[in-house]
Amino acid sequence: MTATIIDGKLAAKNLRAQLTESVAKLKADKGVVPGLAVVLVGEDPASKSYVTAKEKACAEIGIYSDDNRLPEDTSEEELIGLIHKLNQDSQIHGILVQLPLPRHIDENKVIMAIDPDKDVDGFHPVNVGRMNIGQPCFLPCTPHGIIHLLMINNIETKGKHAVVIGRSNIVGKPVAALLARKAEGGNATVTLCHTATKNLADFTRQADILVVASGRPNTVTADMVKPGAAVIDVGVNRVEDSSYEKGYRLVGDVDFEAVKDVAGWITPVPGGVGPMTITMLLYNTVQSATMKAQC
Ligand code: L34
């Protein structure tokens, strides 16, 4: 069996086309241009490339992006000061603080400073709480992108066993919550595995849907996958490779070449979940501006 390769780039392109129309309509009907403040502290090369991609994606669909690149030695107070200013700015409907932050800054304090109504990452405890009790909120971008990919590929989640590897606040915990919730793209029976899980393969082999967000290449090998399963690879790992122009190649957390012969569906890296993460940020920003325009 050879898996259907889930094309995240194409899914992202289609959703962005819809968002472009929503943005144009918002401008024509209400005179509102959605605005996203992008905040990056420091020089992490991967973060820089994600943030640049996010700003480019905003420009492509007509969202105004306000670029805030701060030096590595920015203090927590300065960063929180900037967030307070952005909270007050009526042109800004979404605030994205790219993670991870430098070690001297307390990530939790920074997230807590963001106005929950502008928290387009869905990381503020108010939004995390709303999501977990089924209230309307901004859904976190990577988990939301994963559910969208499952839905547009008609991959049934209801009554299925979904196994998630990784318990991060950004991916593992929220994607487990979305897969379990009583809603379309949910209703799965969910097992959350992590670094303390014993006999990981015993769980993964039961998975109809396997979401891998361990942050480690080859976490999932072919022998760990049930034939026909949907395998969603969230990893983005840079592996040194001098045969590539950039000096590295990207691999996910799954042994793609071997697993694609066992799985029913699989997301590639690059071109799978990554482009959807960016698209859902745009989606949330448009949603935020739309809600503001209705007030
Ligand atoms: N606040 N911090 C905040 N929000 C987020 O949603 C993120 N995340 C994660 C890291 N920190 C964050 C992202 O934006 C991961 N992430 C992210 C975004 C985009 C891509 C990967 C991770 C992406 O576009 N990946 C491309 C390849 C990019 C490349 O060539 O380096 C892909 O096709 O997978």
Side-chain angles (χ1 to χ4, degrees):
M1 185 183 210
T2 295
T4 300
I5 314 281
I6 295 177
D7 189 342
K9 260 186 151 166
L10 179 64
K13 189 174 158 228
N14 291 337
L15 192 49
R16 287 180 200 188
Q18 289 176 30
L19 290 171
T20 306
E21 282 181 27
S22 307
V23 171
K25 197 163 164 3
L26 203 53
K27 192 170 178 197
D29 296 353
K30 307 274 184 183
V32 172
V33 177
L36 175 71
V38 177
V39 182
L40 173 63
V41 185
E43 301 289 331
D44 179 74
S47 294
K48 271 174 146 175
S49 83
Y50 301 154
V51 157
T52 302
K54 288 174 182 185
E55 289 172 340
K56 191 166 155 260
C58 282
E60 277 167 12
I61 76 156
I63 293 178
Y64 158 69
S65 75
D66 173 34
D67 177 271
N68 297 271
R69 301 201 186 206
L70 309 176
E72 179 80 26
D73 63 358
T74 301
S75 71
E76 193 176 280
E77 293 69 32
E78 283 173 283
L79 178 57
I80 289 175
L82 170 65
I83 290 169
H84 287 153
K85 200 186 91 197
L86 295 168
N87 283 343
Q88 301 302 320
D89 186 338
S90 62
Q91 305 227 50
I92 296 298
H93 304 96
I95 301 171
L96 162 86
V97 180
Q98 188 70 20
L99 302 178
L101 288 167
R103 258 192 303 245
H104 64 276
I105 299 178
D106 183 339
E107 224 157 77
N108 280 321
K109 272 196 197 162
V110 172
I111 290 170
M112 298 267 280
I114 299 171
D115 178 347
D117 291 340
K118 294 191 178 187
D119 169 37
V120 284
D121 261 325
F123 292 166
H124 190 287
V126 163
N127 285 316
V128 176
R130 284 177 180 155
M131 179 187 72
N132 276 285
I133 59 174
Q135 289 183 359
C137 63
F138 295 116
L139 295 180
C141 302
T142 303
H144 191 194
I146 291 169
I147 301 297
H148 185 80
L149 285 178
L150 294 172
M151 285 175 56
I152 62 170
N153 284 280
N154 297 314
I155 298 169
E156 182 64 85
T157 52
K158 188 175 181 180
K160 301 292 180 184
H161 189 186
V163 175
V164 176
I165 307 178
R167 56 179 150 183
S168 70
N169 292 335
I170 297 191
V171 185
K173 275 188 278 188
V175 81
L178 292 182
L179 285 162
R181 75 182 174 153
K182 199 167 187 165
E184 245 196 301
N187 288 306
T189 303
V190 179
T191 301
L192 182 54
C193 299
H194 44 72
T195 44
T197 299
K198 289 180 182 155
N199 303 324
L200 181 63
D202 289 350
F203 296 98
T204 60
R205 280 192 206 110
Q206 294 177 37
D208 302 306
I209 297 157
L210 181 57
V211 179
V212 192
S214 59
R216 194 168 46 84
N218 293 318
T219 300
V220 169
T221 48
D223 58 304
M224 296 168 72
V225 175
K226 172 163 142 181
V231 179
I232 307 295
D233 190 350
V234 186
V236 210
N237 304 293
R238 294 183 171 198
V239 175
E240 262 187 64
D241 189 332
S242 56
S243 71
Y244 281 67
E245 198 182 319
K246 289 181 171 168
Y248 65 85
R249 69 191 150 84
L250 287 182
V251 300
D253 295 344
V254 172
D255 179 3
F256 180 86
E257 281 309 316
V259 170
K260 77 173 185 348
D261 294 334
V262 181
W265 294 269
I266 189 166
T267 61
V269 178
V273 173
M276 288 309 298
T277 296
I278 297 179
T279 305
M280 289 312 185
L281 175 70
L282 307 175
Y283 179 94
N284 284 348
T285 304
V286 174
Q287 189 190 321
S288 180
T290 305
M291 286 187 309
K292 184 83 186 301
Q294 281 165 352
C295 294

